């Protein structure tokens, strides 16, 4: 255990953030960042549609498990057997420690360490703290890391202003940011993924079926990528 990364580092580390320079009227002039454009945001500022969409597609049982979810793993296995799309069984806590503390290679050893660290982290932090760190940590495609940078990158607005259709698009990105990016080689996949997120939200009773269908039909206005 002494050789493992300490989950306490999740809250103690200095994560890279973006420096913004404004003029005297509050107009953004420049942004400076290295490889990760990240703008921290507190969970209290994140609107409910983003939280619900994230939980529905990534970890519906987040508030009831202790870091790992056997039901989530089983659900992912059954989904992958019966569907052409891929689904992982990692919890939000596992994804957080993987992104922040571990290397990206997929090995059995890394998976075991990931599980141990996820359970460990759940004994250190509250669920809301873990969810907030997740939303500020994971990549959403391009240079956007974290939900606030992603909201601005794709929609040129703060996460606080994101609507249900936009939230369902953003929540689907972390699973495969390059593949699902609306700015990628196959932008239609982003909309397919968005519909999957909305369906999962309805299945989890975060929204009604009618609300999901209305959101699917609403056009999305993306910023022009530069």
């Amino acid at each position: 255990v002494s050789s493992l990364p300490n989950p306490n580092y999740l809250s103690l580390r200095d994560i890279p953030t973006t420096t913004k320079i404004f003029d005297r009227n509050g107009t953004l002039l420049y942004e400076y960042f290295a490889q990760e454009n990240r703008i921290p945001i507190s969970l209290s500022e994140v609107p409910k549609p983003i939280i619900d969409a994230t939980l529905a597609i990534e970890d519906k049982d987040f508030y009831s498990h202790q870091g790992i979810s056997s039901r989530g793993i089983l659900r992912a296995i059954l989904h992958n057997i019966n569907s052409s799309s891929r689904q992982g069984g990692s919890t939000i806590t596992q994804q957080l420690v993987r992104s922040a503390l571990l290397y990206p290679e997929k090995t059995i050893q890394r998976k075991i360490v990931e599980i141990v660290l996820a359970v460990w982290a759940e004994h250190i932090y509250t669920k809301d703290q873990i969810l907030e760190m997740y939303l500020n940590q994971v990549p959403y495609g391009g240079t956007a890391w974290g939900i606030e940078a992603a909201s601005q990158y794709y929609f040129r607005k703060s996460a606080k202003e994101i609507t249900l259709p936009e939230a369902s698009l953003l929540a689907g990105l972390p699973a495969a940011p390059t593949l699902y990016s609306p700015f990628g080689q196959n932008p239609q996949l982003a909309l397919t993924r968005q519909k999957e997120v909305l369906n999962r939200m309805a299945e989890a009773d975060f929204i009604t079926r009618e609300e999901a269908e209305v959101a699917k039909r609403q056009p999305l206005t993306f910023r022009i990528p530069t």
Side-chain angles (χ1 to χ4, degrees), residues 36-224:
E36 301 177 7
N37 179 14
R38 181 184 281 107
I39 307 166
I41 186 173
S42 67
L43 187 63
S44 62
E45 296 179 287
V46 179
K48 191 173 185 294
I50 290 179
I51 294 174
D52 289 348
T54 299
L55 294 176
I57 195 63
E58 293 294 346
D59 191 357
K60 182 172 68 70
D61 303 320
F62 174 68
Y63 279 97
S64 60
H65 64 62
Q66 298 300 312
I68 57 175
S69 173
S70 56
R71 184 163 63 174
I73 294 172
L74 178 60
R75 183 170 57 243
I77 292 173
L78 294 176
H79 174 89
N80 294 341
I81 291 174
N82 299 305
S83 175
S84 58
S85 64
R86 299 294 90 187
Q87 189 178 111
S90 296
T91 65
I92 280 176
T93 314
Q94 287 176 257
Q95 293 177 53
L96 171 63
V97 299
R98 179 197 310 154
S99 177
L101 302 177
L102 300 177
Y103 47 88
E105 289 79 11
K106 295 182 178 180
T107 64
I108 294 177
Q109 180 180 3
R110 192 218 66 186
K111 194 67 176 180
I112 293 173
V113 171
E114 174 188 303
I115 290 172
V116 171
L117 292 180
V119 174
W120 189 356
E122 291 265 352
H123 284 81
I124 298 173
Y125 303 104
T126 67
K127 287 291 188 177
D128 284 353
Q129 287 175 318
I130 291 171
L131 183 56
E132 179 178 297
M133 288 188 286
Y134 171 89
L135 290 170
N136 281 306
Q137 168 64 36
V138 295
Y140 284 81
T143 59
W145 289 66
I147 190 64
E148 177 65 20
S151 300
Q152 297 187 23
Y153 180 70
Y154 291 107
F155 297 111
R156 204 182 291 278
K157 64 171 68 172
S158 170
K160 292 176 282 188
E161 305 171 281
I162 290 296
T163 64
L164 172 59
E166 295 164 343
S168 56
L169 186 287
L170 293 174
L173 296 177
T178 301
L179 178 66
Y180 293 133
S181 172
F183 299 159
Q185 294 183 344
N186 193 345
Q188 185 58 38
L189 287 178
L191 300 180
T192 300
R193 177 68 169 172
Q194 180 215 24
K195 291 179 174 61
E196 181 181 359
V197 173
L198 288 166
N199 288 338
R200 295 282 288 276
M201 292 181 74
E203 291 169 7
D205 292 326
F206 287 127
I207 58 176
T208 65
R209 287 288 179 185
E210 291 74 17
E211 288 172 324
E213 294 306 315
V214 169
K216 291 176 187 178
R217 294 193 295 270
Q218 291 185 17
L220 294 169
T221 302
F222 298 104
R223 64 176 285 272
I224 299 174

